[in-house]
Amino acid sequence: MRLVLLGLPGAGKGTQGELIAEKYGIPHISSGSLIREAVASGTELGKEADSYIRRGELIPDELAIEMVSERIGRSDCVQGWILDGFPRTVLQAIALDHRLAQINLDVQMAFDIRISPGEAIQRIAKRRMCRNCGAVYYLDHYRSQNGQVCDNCGGELYRRSDDTEETARTRLMVYMKQTHPVLHYYSMDGRLFSIDGQRPIAEVFADVDYYLQRLADARRAGEAT
Ligand code: AP5
Ligand code: MG
């Protein structure tokens, strides 16, 4: 399966990406996480990307394309992948299609996980991440002692540098201007599937999974003929 997850900041791309990865055994690749790892380890890409992330702006297309191309070329991606946060511009979407066409592959489905801007701001304000294992929490549902440590590993919880309200508003504007056209790009040839993201996590996943099972069934039918 080769899938793309689209949606406003806070829509649940990371949350759904993890669930899909768990069920279908393909890697969940978050371009934002790749960039945050590069920033934390001080690589050249990380140094260049840091100020863009802090401002809530996109890193340059060439950097994002190179980073994701390298990642999907690794051996764990042979059976497919879930891209979360990439492509984020039409230029990135075209570059991805070109790269895949060279090896006779394509993006099979793009999901637009839809939430309102108000819900996005609220979720971002209440999100916390584990510094150790990367688990994502939502303060309203968080149940551990003091809300200070991760349920999985006891690691310290922190707030992303771009999760301030001001930066979140910039990210929403950037999404509407630069990423929204990507929805149109995938809808033109029937690859876009719209999902109501403003429901409990399990219900959102059930909708996504309905389409994924159709994809899996079609593949099995193709193999049988
Ligand atoms: P990125 O890391 O991709 O951030 P984003 O798109 O802003 O999305 P988020 O990670 O904030 O939200 P999400 O949709 O993953 O939601 P989550 O599942 O965590 O990008 C960060 C930055 O990197 C960009 O601003 C840019 O600078 C740079 N960048 C990245 N990719 C790039 C690219 N391709 N090109 C250029 N620059 C790039 O959920 C949010 C919260 O809500 C969590 O707390 C979660 O627990 C909770 N939640 C999830 N689902 C539900 C639900 N159904 N109900 C209630 N709560 C829920
Ligand atoms: Mg995310």
Side-chain angles (χ1 to χ4, degrees):
M1 282 176 182
R2 291 171 304 279
L3 313 171
V4 161
L5 301 179
L6 298 158
L8 285 178
K13 302 181 294 294
T15 303
Q16 296 299 322
E18 283 299 300
L19 293 172
I20 300 168
E22 204 175 295
K23 176 158 184 183
Y24 290 95
I26 48 174
H28 163 220
I29 300 169
S30 154
S31 49
S33 298
L34 291 178
I35 298 168
R36 283 186 287 278
E37 280 161 25
V39 171
S41 47
T43 64
E44 282 309 309
L45 171 84
K47 284 180 198 153
E48 195 169 345
D50 192 25
S51 62
Y52 290 98
I53 288 220
R54 283 179 189 280
R55 289 197 302 271
E57 292 168 9
L58 299 186
I59 70 167
D61 280 329
E62 316 79 73
L63 289 184
I65 291 166
E66 194 184 321
M67 180 185 75
V68 172
S69 294
E70 187 278 324
R71 179 63 189 86
I72 63 176
R74 291 198 207 156
S75 58
D76 63 336
C77 290
V78 176
Q79 298 300 325
W81 32 253
I82 307 141
L83 289 181
D84 150 8
F86 185 96
R88 239 177 166 94
T89 63
V90 171
L91 201 139
Q92 291 180 15
I94 292 170
L96 178 62
D97 273 345
H98 279 172
R99 183 187 190 280
L100 293 173
Q102 285 166 356
I103 45 175
N104 287 322
L105 295 176
D106 59 0
V107 169
Q108 294 164 297
M109 288 184 170
F111 291 101
D112 174 23
I113 305 175
R114 300 170 68 95
I115 62 168
S116 68
E119 175 78 8
I121 295 288
Q122 195 188 341
R123 286 191 192 175
I124 287 170
K126 292 182 174 173
R127 174 171 48 199
R128 296 293 181 276
M129 316 265 296
C130 173
R131 211 176 276 291
N132 187 40
C133 73
V136 179
Y137 291 96
Y138 186 51
L139 286 186
D140 279 0
H141 308 302
Y142 188 70
R143 294 185 302 278
S144 178
Q145 300 166 349
N146 310 324
Q148 300 294 318
V149 295
C150 173
D151 279 339
N152 295 339
C153 71
E156 178 201 355
L157 297 187
Y158 75 102
R159 200 169 174 187
R160 267 169 49 178
S161 66
D162 59 346
D163 273 356
T164 62
E165 184 168 340
E166 193 190 345
T167 309
R169 290 195 187 281
T170 305
R171 284 158 60 199
L172 292 185
M173 298 290 289
V174 166
Y175 185 90
M176 293 316 292
K177 198 169 162 199
Q178 293 181 267
T179 309
H180 200 260
V182 178
L183 302 178
H184 183 61
Y185 177 82
Y186 285 119
S187 73
M188 284 190 307
D189 55 9
R191 286 184 288 175
L192 187 73
F193 297 84
S194 190
I195 304 288
D196 176 0
Q198 218 154 304
R199 290 170 306 144
I201 290 169
E203 287 182 27
V204 177
F205 180 64
D207 274 12
V208 171
D209 200 31
Y210 167 79
Y211 293 112
L212 297 183
Q213 284 177 32
R214 275 186 14 189
L215 195 59
D217 289 346
R219 199 184 75 175
R220 273 193 293 273
E223 280 169 0
T225 54

